[in-house]
Structures are given as structure tokens and as C-alpha cells.
Amino acid sequence: MLRLPAFELCRPETLEEAASLLAEGPGRVRLLAGGTDLFPNLKRRHQKAEVVVSLSKVPGLSGIREEADRAIVIGAGTTLSEMAASELLRAELPALVAAVASISAPVLRNMGTLGGNLCLDTRCTYYNQTEEWRRSIDFCMKEEGQVCWVAPGSPRCWAVSSSDSAPMLCALEAEVRLVSSQGERWLPLPSLYQDDGIAYLAKRPEEILTAVKVPAASRAAGCRSAFAKLRRRGSIDFAVLTVGAAVWLADDGTVEKARVFLGAVASQPVEAGPTAQALLGKTLDPETIRAAADLARREATPMDNTDLSPAWRGAVLPRYVEAVLRECAA
């Protein structure tokens, strides 16, 4: 049985206090929300922590509300199960509900939070193993080693982003609120990520993700959205591909704006810009959709660091994009 290492547990009662504790040092201090990612990582010694800062006593981090401008704000501490059950989200952001409902299994969705899923550690076949297994081949550069075993000649880590909520929220043009002892700032969600398997988040170490805002324009009345996920089994397994798409139509039925994001194909959610661009000014007919979906293959290079073969994953990627866009076309 894998056991947690010893650490000091702190339970601050304000965001300022929590941010102050986090500022004591990256790697030494870890933030705890639901723990569904952190605790397994600590058990397998992927991550280390002398201090774990729990957000359980910090008020105001959960809940779903509408603002005066009809934007929808979701607290980062809101559980995935609460999101999936929300009548507001089911009516106004159905593709987001599909994304969070696909994550793991009910038990973990009852504990896991939106903020935790957005900040999910990147994954790799050579990294997500027990400490003994990793030591036997020598540790990879993501944890103590010097070599990326996926691409041994590469100077960087290629672990992939496996957050299911991130590609969908990026497509819906969501923003995130980051709070530290120096104040707060709102950031477009794609800007939260970096294409590096180790330094995959752009936020400062002491910043805490506290809320996600989806603009009114992305609600169901003005935006068509859809989500799809590829994995070996229908639950539990992490994705080897996710597609989140949002399409805004003009009065004449042509595409006014489109955003398509891919997950689990790089160290960050990848925007399929050429696919979205190919839809502009056109109706969502089968020929237009298929031609646009074929362009998505250029934006991703699946590597041998997750489940299923890279060549097959690359081959089915355009077909998943096509299926999502067909759903948007209704």
C-alpha cells in the first residue's frame, strides 16, 4: 500500500493567509482543494511537500452564480459533481457539464474541484508510475532526472495536459481569477497555461485560482457548444484526446465566430485556430465541417507518453473534431 509522506497541514481561514503560506517556496508548499490529484502524487512521490495548505476553511470559494451582466461565475472550490448537477449550467453551458461529468468516476467527482481540475498536474507514461518503477529506469526530468524518456534528445518535458474542463472552458472564452497577497487579477484561461510539461502553469507560485467566469455571450442562447473525449474505458481513465468547441452564428446562419481547443495532445490546451478560421462566414454543412476538421491534425503531434498509439490517436483526431462540430451544427 502506498502511504502519504509526513507533512505539516495548515488550514488558513483567509485567502491572504493561504497566499502568504504558498509564497514560502515552490515545491516546499502545496495547495490542497479536493486532493484527488495531489494525494496520489504525494503517495507516488511525484511531488513533495513539507507543508500542505488546505482551502477547506476559506469562505466563498464554491458556488455558481449569475452576475448582473449575465456572466456565469463558478467558484474554484465547487465540486465537479455540483457542477454536473447544476440546473443553471445544464441549461446554459451543457457542453461544460458534459466535460466535467466525464471526469474520472462519481466518487472522485464528489471530491474533485473545478480549480483542481484546471490546475491538474501534467501526465506521462514515464512519470505516472511508482517511485520504484521510475528509479529502475532512472528518473525523468519532470522529477529529479535529466532526461525526457519520451524524447531523450529534447531539452524540455513533454508531459501532457489532461484537464477535461480546460479545453471546453477555453473554447467558451472563460476567464480565471487569481488572488495573492499583492491583490487579484483576471486572466483569459488559455493564458493560464504554458507549453512545458514541468512549468505548465503561468500563474505565480503564491497565486490561488479562486473563480472562473464564463461571459454571457457563451450562454446557450447565443452560442452552440459541444465536447468529446477519447479514452480506453468509459470512466476512470484519463483522456488521450479531448475536443471542446464553441460556435457563434450570425442571423443568416453563417458562422460569425468559432473556437476549438484540443486537450491531452500537448502540455497545454491547444487551440485549433485554422479549423475555427475555416468555418468563418460559412454554414455548418457536412462538407465545410469535414474540411475544417481535417485542418486540426496539423495543430497536434501526439507522442508516446499516454495510452493508445500515437499514430492512431493522430488519425482519429480530425474525426473527433468533426463529430463535435456536427453536434454544434445540430
Side-chain angles (χ1 to χ4, degrees):
M1 177 183 293
L2 298 178
R3 298 183 182 277
L4 283 170
F7 55 77
E8 177 187 355
L9 178 64
C10 296
R11 302 180 70 190
E13 298 184 3
T14 66
L15 279 174
E16 292 74 18
E17 184 183 355
S20 178
L21 289 167
L22 287 178
E24 293 183 7
R28 178 180 178 273
V29 184
R30 299 282 180 181
L31 194 64
L32 171 64
T36 58
D37 189 45
L38 176 63
F39 286 159
N41 283 349
L42 290 177
K43 286 181 177 181
R44 292 191 295 258
R45 305 317 191 252
H46 294 149
Q47 297 174 336
K48 295 178 174 61
E50 298 174 29
V51 179
V52 171
V53 179
S54 170
L55 296 176
S56 61
K57 286 190 174 183
V58 177
L61 290 182
S62 63
I64 303 165
R65 70 178 190 274
E66 291 183 84
E67 295 203 321
D69 61 358
R70 300 191 72 246
I72 296 175
V73 176
I74 309 168
T78 306
T79 68
L80 304 173
S81 291
E82 289 170 338
M83 291 179 63
S86 165
E87 292 185 7
L88 176 62
L89 296 187
R90 292 168 73 90
E92 299 292 347
L93 303 172
L96 176 58
V97 169
V100 298
S102 77
I103 295 169
S104 192
V107 171
L108 294 183
R109 289 196 294 272
N110 289 342
M111 290 294 295
T113 65
L114 176 59
N117 190 255
L118 290 176
C119 296
L120 191 71
D121 191 18
T122 52
R123 299 183 58 80
C124 174
T125 299
Y126 297 93
Y127 171 69
N128 292 97
Q129 304 288 344
T130 64
E131 185 178 26
E132 291 78 10
W133 189 98
R134 289 178 288 121
R135 184 185 298 114
S136 71
I137 66 166
D138 198 2
F139 293 112
C140 69
M141 68 167 60
K142 185 166 167 62
E143 199 265 331
E144 296 188 10
Q146 302 298 319
V147 177
C148 173
W149 291 117
V150 177
S154 172
R156 55 155 289 184
C157 167
W158 291 92
V160 298
S161 169
S162 295
S163 167
D164 294 322
S165 61
M168 193 64 248
L169 282 167
C170 285
L172 291 169
E173 300 190 323
E175 296 179 296
V176 291
R177 177 177 177 250
L178 301 175
V179 175
S180 71
S181 55
Q182 300 176 16
E184 70 171 69
R185 61 179 176 135
W186 285 90
L187 195 67
L189 182 56
S191 299
L192 178 67
Y193 300 103
Q194 301 181 135
D195 195 16
D196 187 306
I198 298 172
Y200 57 94
L201 293 178
K203 72 181 186 68
R204 300 192 301 271
E206 73 277 10
E207 287 185 308
I208 300 171
L209 196 161
T210 64
V212 177
K213 179 190 290 187
V214 180
S218 297
R219 294 174 67 148
C223 172
R224 297 183 180 187
S225 59
F227 171 84
K229 177 176 180 175
L230 170 64
R231 56 183 165 180
R232 185 176 292 272
R233 298 179 295 179
S235 65
I236 301 294
D237 288 346
F238 282 90
V240 295
L241 169 67
T242 54
V243 183
V247 177
W248 292 260
L249 301 181
D251 292 339
D252 62 359
T254 59
V255 176
E256 194 170 60
K257 181 171 64 173
R259 286 169 69 85
V260 180
F261 278 81
L262 312 174
V265 295
S267 298
Q268 64 180 355
V270 174
E271 183 171 12
T275 294
Q277 188 70 26
L279 298 173
L280 297 182
K282 301 176 182 177
T283 57
L284 290 175
D285 58 72
E287 293 75 18
T288 296
I289 288 175
R290 190 172 186 88
D294 286 341
L295 299 175
R297 180 65 184 88
R298 306 175 188 176
E299 304 306 304
T301 306
M303 302 183 74
D304 190 19
N305 53 2
T306 62
D307 194 12
L308 307 177
S309 75
W312 184 78
R313 284 158 46 212
V316 301
L317 188 153
R319 304 289 70 85
Y320 267 70
V321 175
E322 181 181 0
V324 167
L325 292 175
R326 283 178 177 270
E327 186 175 343
C328 289

